Amino acid sequence: MSDEEDAAPAVKRSRVFYGSLEEKERERLRSEVTGGDAVRAGIDAGNINISSGDTLEMEERVSERQQEALAEFERRRRARQITVSTDDAEVKAGLRALGEPITLFGEGPADRRERLRSVLSVVGPDALKKSRKDEERAKRSQDECHQTWYHEGSASLKDARLWLAKYSLPRAMRRLESARAQKDVAEATKTIRQQELHKSLRNLNNFCSQIGDDRPISFCHFSPDSTMLATASWSGLCKLWSVPDCSLIRTLRGHNTNVGAIVFRPQAGVSLDQSDVSLASCAADGSVKLWNLESDEPVADIEGHSDRVSRVSWHPSGRFLGTTWFSMIIVRAGRVRRILHRSRNHDLTSPDGSLAATGGLDAFGRVWDLRTGRCIVFLEGHLREIYSLHFSPNGYHLATGSGDNTCKVWELRNRKCLYTVPAHQNLLSAVRFQPTDGHFLLTGAYDNTAKVWSHPGWTPLKTLAGHEGKVMGVDVSPDGKLIATSSYDRTFKLWLSE
């Protein structure tokens, strides 16, 4: 072994630096960035970006999650403080008011209650109160629309009311004088007359049956002189028939849809000429037409109805015409128009010219004073729609036929229901008092029959059976000798006592 190999290895001396290496490290990095070909190529290629010293703050996602958790805890705290009714019906009503489903699959009353509390904790406890207030406000406004209302009329309306007062007061006076004279008649004589009338009514039989049209016969009405019968059909045709032989006189063409009613003017065939307006009719399309006895075409149209007109009725004077529109009642005389009330009305009747009675699909009847335009009697008692009304000749008894299968007789002097006649097994379509004395009441119904009832007493005297369809209209001739019924089976029948 040589001396070199025996020599000890040289000790590596460590370098000692005084001060910070930060400046030297920066110089080294600067030289590498600016001098290195690979780094420069990366910068040129866009793979290495050297910022100018601007910094961006990182989103604090952890703090957002914390805020969501805190919001959920706060919502649960509010939910615990909300008081919710334990009545399940009220809970369902509250959910419905907030636009939520009232129940979910497999949800019980307790779960439903908690769901309402959870919804209220989000939208706020005042949301339910606000929705209830809105519902009450909407209901109140809807009720106000159905309430009787009045408005100031024109000068022509005032003149018409004065004319109605001057016309009706003498008629009422004559009616009262006739009632006083009838009161002086001996009771035995009254009993004998009543027994004879009841005997003749029990002997009523079908005198004539006539096919009136290809569609159901919806209405029938005798002329004031009892020599003609007018019928209305769903085909849009109205026809005049001679009585009692039931031969066709004339077909009135003008309506294009179901005709609801056709009525004679009070003086038609008595004091009016053939060329004067003698009839009025109405249809489901809102058309109202006036006719004379000479032409097959209407002489005039009454405009202004945008919905179905179910009935028309002449004032006893023949100067005014009332129409029952499915939105309101309108009484017209030339340019005078009086809107009585806004509801779906179905019938209209008037006794001696001072009063008018209306009934509609709201199951309520109303009696109006035409001289003031105010409702003086409110008839409440029927359970379903009122389809027909008629005054007794005595002026204070009013009969109403309803969809609840009953006929009610109202006493207007004490504003109460005098008697409820359980008349039929289906809805009543028409009621009529005897026009001369009011000693009997005629009803027609959808059970295919018409019935005659005594007045007073309201005992059944005769059932007029023979129609194969619903009885849609009935009428009694002004002389009290004939009864007419019209039916869904496209026929009308005349009934006469043997």
Side-chain angles (χ1 to χ4, degrees), residues 359-374:
L361 304 187
D362 56 358
F364 299 126
R366 293 172 174 84
V367 179
W368 304 84
D369 188 347
L370 296 178
R371 298 163 295 187
T372 61
R374 293 187 174 274

Side-chain angles (χ1 to χ4, degrees), residues 261-322:
I262 181 170
V263 291
F264 279 95
R265 198 173 176 182
Q267 298 82 11
V270 179
S271 60
L272 295 178
D273 295 334
Q274 295 286 319
S275 58
D276 293 334
V277 174
S278 300
L279 298 105
S281 62
C282 61
D285 58 357
S287 60
V288 178
K289 299 183 182 295
L290 303 179
W291 313 81
N292 60 21
L293 299 178
E294 289 183 343
S295 174
D296 299 343
E297 302 292 332
V299 297
D301 293 342
I302 297 180
E303 300 177 351
H305 303 89
S306 60
D307 208 337
R308 173 187 173 188
V309 180
S310 56
R311 292 288 186 269
V312 290
S313 180
W314 288 99
H315 188 264
S317 65
R319 182 180 177 182
F320 300 90
L321 178 67

